[in-house]
Amino acid sequence: MASSTTLSSPSSFLGFSSYSSSSSNSASVGFFRPSPLKPNKISISFPRKRVYFRPSSSISGPAIEKEVPQSERPDSFLRDGEAPASDSSSVRGRFEKMIREVQDKVCAAIEAVDGCRFKEDVWSRPGGGGGISRVLQDGNVWEKAGVNVSVVYGMMPPDAYRAATAGTVVNAGPVPFFAAGISSVLHPKNPFAPTLHFNYRYFETDAPEDAAGAPRKWWFGGGTDLTPSYIFEEDVKHFHSIQKKACDKFDPTFYPRFKKWCDDYFCIKHREERRGLGGIFFDDLNDYDQEFLLGFTTECANSVVPAYIPLIEKRKDTPFTEQHKAWQQLRRGRYVEFNLVYDRGTTFGLKTGGRIESILVSLPLTARWEYDHKPEEGTEEWKLLDACVNPKEWI
């Protein structure tokens, strides 16, 4: 006979979130179902055991706005009354215009190479904002490619504010915010063709100037990084040279500074190795004026296509073996580990009730983990791992 245990409802249970308020004693929890055995309880069936927990109104989280599907793209996701992109003083509007143009350019370049089309979802949030999610899955060249833009208003709980500001101590309650960004991860099928990630974002807190523990702030962040499974030195040099060229137009110190930042940030700490071969990365950048940084992030975002597409065109049809594919799958496992354990964007999105499909579109369609796998020293696989453990200067 099945035994039973009663548990209080946590705010999240094994990754399935529940939200309750003082006016409601109900919870919406993944695949869990109301128990027909006891009222106001939820049951989870396991072999030989049945576990119950009671939704509790004493445990509450921030109100999470669910996305509303839209049938067509709006001209802007900014709230009514905000300055449009045509207003030179509107950083929000001009940044939104830039990321939507880059989304179109990147998707067009990918479709031209792959021959398949992106699936598009347009969505909005009741409190303001929305986004456009585009995914190409099981294509001719890419196994999974996601290119998403979002313009979002919301309330950050203090722990999300800490995640968004690299550990800033906050004593205040929920903080109103505005965030706009473009984010993309492109996983090709051929193990000799590299994965690419890029993300550029603009962020503002709307807290009053005198708010305790949550000062009003703005910053830019982002970067572009390359994650191959095999090293072709000329490819890596080409990629890094495009990043350096974009940086040098604004400040010759940017590339060495942001290259190191990238190597340090994309480190899988529990393995002491990098996710890939780097690129550039920066965050919380507000020590220059907004006009300067808007121009810089625009230049970096527009450099994605010339940095990446030539590498794909060169490697997409390279013959490969099952051994090559297995190694690619292992490297993708590292990609998953970093994104789910360390990535600040993933953490922030999950903590603020972001669109789950957009947040997790960065994960590859397939990946692999082998127990205690160690490539033989001197092999091409070992060379890649060595470069991930010991970052190199490519140019």
Side-chain angles (χ1 to χ4, degrees):
M1 180 178 295
S3 61
S4 66
T5 305
T6 300
L7 306 171
S8 297
S9 171
S11 59
S12 65
F13 185 75
L14 295 177
F16 295 87
S17 298
S18 62
Y19 303 97
S20 58
S21 65
S22 58
S23 62
S24 172
N25 200 30
S26 64
S28 174
V29 189
F31 57 75
F32 301 137
R33 63 187 185 278
S35 171
L37 304 178
K38 298 186 180 182
N40 201 30
K41 292 188 178 182
I42 292 175
S43 68
I44 314 164
S45 296
F46 297 99
R48 302 170 64 111
K49 178 174 284 190
R50 187 176 296 267
V51 181
Y52 301 95
F53 70 87
R54 184 187 304 277
S56 170
S57 60
S58 64
I59 300 175
S60 62
I64 302 299
E65 291 185 340
K66 293 303 178 185
E67 303 79 23
V68 180
Q70 302 295 317
S71 59
E72 58 184 35
R73 303 172 217 153
D75 291 335
S76 174
F77 288 104
L78 296 178
R79 284 173 173 162
D80 291 341
E82 289 205 33
S86 58
D87 186 335
S88 62
S89 66
S90 173
V91 176
R92 292 184 178 188
R94 291 161 65 201
F95 191 85
E96 180 194 15
K97 181 175 183 291
M98 182 273 284
I99 60 178
R100 290 182 65 169
E101 289 175 349
V102 170
Q103 183 186 44
D104 288 343
K105 292 176 184 176
V106 172
C107 289
I110 290 171
E111 288 179 347
V113 174
D114 193 285
C116 293
R117 301 294 300 274
F118 278 87
K119 176 184 184 295
E120 177 177 287
D121 292 317
V122 182
W123 50 274
S124 65
R125 296 180 72 165
I132 303 169
S133 300
R134 292 180 185 165
V135 178
L136 187 157
Q137 189 164 285
D138 278 328
N140 297 313
V141 175
W142 280 276
E143 184 175 287
K144 189 178 182 185
V147 188
N148 302 327
V149 296
S150 61
V151 177
V152 177
Y153 302 81
M155 297 291 292
M156 287 188 294
D159 57 346
Y161 186 82
R162 284 189 289 270
T165 55
T168 301
V169 176
V170 178
N171 298 317
V175 179
F177 73 90
F178 168 87
I182 181 168
S183 182
S184 176
V185 179
L186 312 171
H187 294 290
K189 289 184 172 181
N190 194 305
F192 293 114
T195 285
L196 182 85
H197 159 259
F198 74 92
N199 170 279
Y200 292 97
R201 56 194 175 275
Y202 175 69
F203 199 98
E204 291 182 9
T205 60
D206 280 337
E209 294 285 354
D210 58 351
R216 190 163 192 165
K217 295 182 65 176
W218 61 263
W219 65 89
F220 290 82
T224 306
D225 63 284
L226 195 70
T227 307
S229 299
Y230 290 91
I231 296 177
F232 295 95
E233 192 162 328
E234 65 271 27
D235 292 4
V236 184
K237 286 183 177 180
H238 168 83
F239 174 80
H240 277 268
S241 68
I242 297 294
Q243 308 313 306
K244 184 178 186 301
K245 182 179 178 181
C247 290
D248 287 351
K249 288 183 178 180
F250 292 83
D251 189 322
T253 69
F254 275 4
Y255 174 74
R257 174 184 169 191
F258 298 154
K259 192 268 183 189
K260 183 180 186 304
W261 200 337
C262 186
D263 289 336
D264 292 343
Y265 176 76
F266 291 105
C267 180
I268 307 169
K269 298 177 181 64
H270 56 270
R271 294 187 183 274
E272 297 184 356
E273 69 183 65
R274 276 70 188 169
R275 188 178 72 179
L277 301 185
I280 58 171
F281 178 83
F282 56 91
D283 210 352
D284 307 319
L285 201 60
N286 59 8
D287 49 353
Y288 300 82
D289 65 54
Q290 288 181 309
E291 192 70 26
F292 179 88
L293 292 176
L294 176 60
F296 173 59
T297 53
T298 299
E299 182 70 27
C300 292
N302 281 322
S303 297
V304 168
V305 170
Y308 180 60
I309 294 299
L311 309 184
I312 290 294
E313 290 177 326
K314 188 187 301 184
R315 308 298 174 189
K316 65 184 178 66
D317 297 319
T318 304
F320 61 87
T321 67
E322 290 185 6
Q323 179 184 352
H324 296 136
K325 191 66 179 178
W327 173 246
Q328 179 198 48
Q329 299 294 293
L330 287 169
R331 295 311 304 171
R332 285 185 179 172
R334 301 293 201 264
Y335 210 98
V336 172
E337 289 179 27
F338 177 85
N339 278 32
L340 294 183
V341 177
Y342 299 111
D343 187 72
R344 284 174 61 187
T346 301
T347 300
F348 175 78
L350 295 175
K351 287 182 181 294
T352 56
R355 184 173 186 267
I356 297 300
E357 292 301 323
S358 298
I359 296 167
L360 299 183
V361 75
S362 63
L363 301 182
L365 195 61
T366 59
R368 180 185 181 101
W369 286 265
E370 289 183 15
Y371 180 74
D372 199 27
H373 182 276
K374 293 183 177 66
E376 183 180 347
E377 186 170 349
T379 62
E380 294 302 312
E381 291 79 7
W382 179 89
K383 290 177 183 177
L384 185 282
L385 181 58
D386 180 65
C388 291
V389 173
N390 303 294
K392 303 181 185 301
E393 298 300 326
W394 298 100
I395 55 175

